[in-house]
Amino acid sequence: MTNMIKVLKGTKDILPQDIEMWHFVEENAQNIFSSYGFKEIRTPIIETTDLFSRGVGDTTDIVNKEMYTFEKSDRSITLRPENTAGVVRSYIENGMHRLSAPVKLWYKGPMFRYERPQAGRQRQFNQIGVEMFGIDKPAADAEIILTAVNFLKSIGLNNLEVEINSIGCPKCRTEYKEKLKNIIKPYLNELCEDCQARYEKNPLRLLDCKVSECQNIYAKKEIQEVILSDFLCKDCCEHYSELKNFLNKLNIKYSENKLLVRGLDYYTRTVFEIKSNNLGSQNAVCGGGRYDGLVEQLGGEHTPAIGFAMGMERLISLLPQQETKKLDAFIVSNSSLDAFLLAEELRKKGISVEIDLANKKFTKQLEKASKIAKFALILGEDEILNEKVSIKNLFTGEQISVDKKNCYNYLGS
Ligand code: ATP
Ligand code: MG
């Protein structure tokens, strides 16, 4: 094994022993999201780089540091770091604004960010998410949060914390941003390099910096006073109270976190995150929010919208390990042809079955059957002669002889 090639740093194989967890999560997503009227959309993994500089924002970490970008035929192309921008592009390009609102879409698939790999943080990772277009009412925000919470419940995750905040609209936020900048100004030199850049371009994002020195500064009393001050205009305030009212009535537990932000002007009003206490420092499983300005930002008509994205690897790491499903049956026989023919009949009936392809001895075949299947179907010389099959239940050891043509009736678990 010289020169063995290894998987790239920050990427992982999803191996057969884990795939059932993925199917479980994906099937639940499909069921829950469709029960709320969301339809699946699949957009390309590669998009033009501009989509993300305009759609995610060129002052964000994602666009500044984390994108996989390359040139092809004089075009700058980027592996999608997230899927909202792609879905919005498709919404506009396919004239979905002509459909009656709300337009509800969901997606799943790999995203790419050049980050420092660590537990819960990969360079290729999978997200599952939803987007809803065309409704500016707080009922839409409530339904999106409800969808997220119920999906998480459906996979058995009940003990998660929902945090919400409102970041207002570009109008009421402007004054707040100025106040924030003024109060932080004396500490500018003490902030991390990223925060120094955010200070000018994206001051709201200062608040969710993960560097502890910066957080210590933002924890100062006079800065906290500004952070906690109410800056929302009347409309934004009403929207936020109505959302909270819905959540209370719907029995969704949440806490308010004024540090929860999305820094860009096309994000408006509601932002939320869902966190787990069992994930260490990479503890967010879901991030979402309203982005009423984004469709217009990407060249469409003004369209209110809201959505969320969840990190599938983080979700799956919270689930209990599942046992690998066993095959329904393994055919034990020295006659490959008879085994083949029976296996094909059974597969047509939806039964999962394997046969021996290696001319192994009977006892070896039985051993293999007991490892991988629920039933051993024994086709010895006598059975073949009499059109019979001996069925051995590999959990109980019980064995019965039945007619070959209806043996599938006995293979229920
Ligand atoms: P974080 O603060 O953890 O970097 P983020 O704000 O970059 O999160 P979003 O862009 O909102 O995250 O993505 C939504 C979800 O996708 C996150 O809550 C997380 O569960 C998951 N996620 C984001 N980046 C990664 C990554 N590099 N590896 C694995 N999961 C990720
Ligand atoms: Mg990130």
Side-chain angles (χ1 to χ4, degrees):
M1 293 241 276
T2 47
N3 293 329
M4 188 178 68
I5 294 176
K6 292 200 173 142
V7 74
L8 279 174
K9 202 169 150 194
T11 69
K12 277 187 183 156
D13 298 312
I14 300 171
L15 295 168
Q17 62 261 33
D18 296 323
I19 202 70
E20 272 152 32
M21 310 266 271
W22 287 79
H23 290 165
F24 170 72
V25 169
E26 288 165 359
E27 277 162 26
N28 275 276
Q30 158 116 47
N31 291 339
I32 299 286
F33 297 160
S34 21
S35 79
Y36 285 86
F38 289 89
K39 294 240 158 60
E40 188 178 353
I41 182 167
R42 298 186 187 181
T43 63
I45 283 170
I46 49 173
E47 298 268 7
T48 167
T49 302
D50 287 347
L51 175 66
F52 303 112
S53 17
R54 278 166 61 190
V56 179
D58 51 18
T59 60
T60 57
D61 285 354
I62 291 184
V63 172
N64 274 335
K65 305 189 236 168
E66 299 176 358
M67 293 209 300
Y68 282 91
T69 297
F70 58 94
E71 299 279 322
K72 204 84 199 165
S73 309
D74 286 339
R75 251 193 213 139
S76 180
I77 290 173
T78 292
L79 302 185
R80 63 182 185 194
E82 56 93 62
N83 209 4
T84 300
V87 171
V88 170
R89 178 203 47 69
S90 177
Y91 174 90
I92 300 167
E93 197 169 348
N94 293 291
M96 287 189 231
H97 63 278
R98 288 192 295 269
L99 304 172
S100 86
V103 173
K104 293 172 163 181
L105 305 168
W106 76 275
Y107 61 81
K108 59 165 195 262
M111 310 296 155
F112 304 82
R113 297 184 193 175
Y114 191 70
E115 303 201 65
R116 193 168 68 80
Q118 50 194 298
R121 201 174 283 293
Q122 294 174 201
R123 290 180 172 168
Q124 175 173 343
F125 61 100
N126 286 273
Q127 283 185 338
I128 207 152
V130 312
E131 315 291 351
M132 185 198 299
F133 297 93
I135 308 285
D136 61 3
K137 301 278 183 291
D141 309 40
E143 194 182 72
I144 287 286
I145 295 176
L146 192 65
T147 307
V149 168
N150 280 338
F151 163 64
L152 293 167
K153 274 192 192 153
S154 79
I155 57 170
L157 302 177
N158 296 305
N159 285 329
L160 299 172
E161 287 175 20
V162 180
E163 291 188 349
I164 63 169
N165 191 21
S166 173
I167 55 168
C169 59
K171 268 185 272 157
C172 59
R173 203 160 48 214
T174 312
E175 203 185 319
Y176 176 68
K177 280 199 283 197
E178 279 315 307
K179 273 197 199 152
L180 207 57
K181 281 174 71 177
N182 286 337
I183 196 82
I184 290 174
K185 196 168 190 175
Y187 305 97
L188 200 52
N189 291 332
E190 296 164 47
L191 300 179
C192 73
E193 223 174 89
D194 285 342
C195 276
Q196 298 200 3
R198 288 178 189 129
Y199 180 84
E200 279 310 326
K201 291 184 186 154
N202 199 348
L204 275 194
R205 270 282 175 190
L206 290 169
L207 304 183
D208 76 351
C209 176
K210 294 186 175 81
V211 175
S212 57
E213 285 79 6
C214 297
Q215 279 309 330
N216 290 341
I217 293 173
Y218 306 143
K220 286 181 191 296
K221 192 161 165 278
E222 74 269 23
I223 300 184
Q224 280 293 309
E225 267 168 23
V226 174
I227 292 173
L228 298 175
S229 65
D230 285 320
F231 67 90
L232 300 181
C233 63
K234 189 168 155 287
D235 288 350
C236 288
C237 200
E238 269 174 25
H239 185 100
Y240 191 40
S241 326
E242 249 186 90
L243 167 64
K244 287 187 278 187
N245 198 17
F246 272 120
L247 297 180
N248 292 334
K249 299 256 165 66
L250 292 164
N251 249 332
I252 298 179
K253 286 201 204 76
Y254 61 87
S255 55
E256 293 180 62
N257 177 0
K258 288 263 189 184
L259 297 180
L260 203 60
V261 286
R262 301 249 169 192
L264 299 160
D265 278 349
Y266 35 83
Y267 293 114
T268 44
R269 298 183 170 170
T270 310
V271 290
F272 66 99
E273 233 170 53
I274 305 182
K275 292 179 179 166
S276 160
N277 292 324
N278 301 333
L279 275 177
S281 52
Q282 263 51 259
N283 63 355
V285 292
C286 174
R290 184 166 270 291
Y291 50 93
D292 289 351
L294 182 56
V295 179
E296 211 170 358
Q297 169 80 19
L298 288 175
E301 289 175 14
H302 175 77
T303 310
I306 177 163
F308 65 72
M310 296 188 183
M312 291 181 75
E313 284 79 3
R314 291 189 201 175
L315 287 185
I316 283 169
S317 72
L318 289 170
L319 298 178
Q321 200 70 35
Q322 288 186 337
E323 272 191 38
T324 317
K325 269 195 213 139
K326 287 198 157 172
L327 273 182
D328 293 324
F330 187 91
I331 299 176
V332 176
S333 181
N334 285 334
S335 162
S336 297
L337 184 59
D338 285 280
F340 259 121
L341 293 173
L342 178 60
E344 284 306 295
E345 282 310 309
L346 293 173
R347 287 172 186 144
K348 277 186 212 148
K349 304 248 183 247
I351 289 165
S352 57
V353 47
E354 272 198 73
I355 63 173
D356 170 59
L357 297 171
N359 283 338
K360 288 260 167 63
K361 293 214 173 80
F362 233 74
T363 46
K364 287 276 174 222
Q365 290 190 35
L366 257 177
E367 261 171 43
K368 166 138 186 169
S370 59
K371 278 193 202 127
I372 66 164
K374 297 181 203 156
F375 293 95
L377 304 186
I378 301 165
L379 273 184
E381 276 172 29
D382 280 356
E383 281 93 351
I384 293 172
L385 212 62
N386 300 312
E387 296 277 308
K388 295 269 188 186
V389 180
S390 297
I391 301 182
K392 181 169 183 182
N393 182 322
L394 295 165
F395 291 109
T396 63
E398 237 177 295
Q399 189 167 322
I400 51 171
S401 172
V402 303
D403 285 343
K404 189 161 80 177
K405 63 177 182 304
N406 53 18
C407 70
Y408 61 87
N409 283 329
Y410 299 85
L411 300 180
S413 36

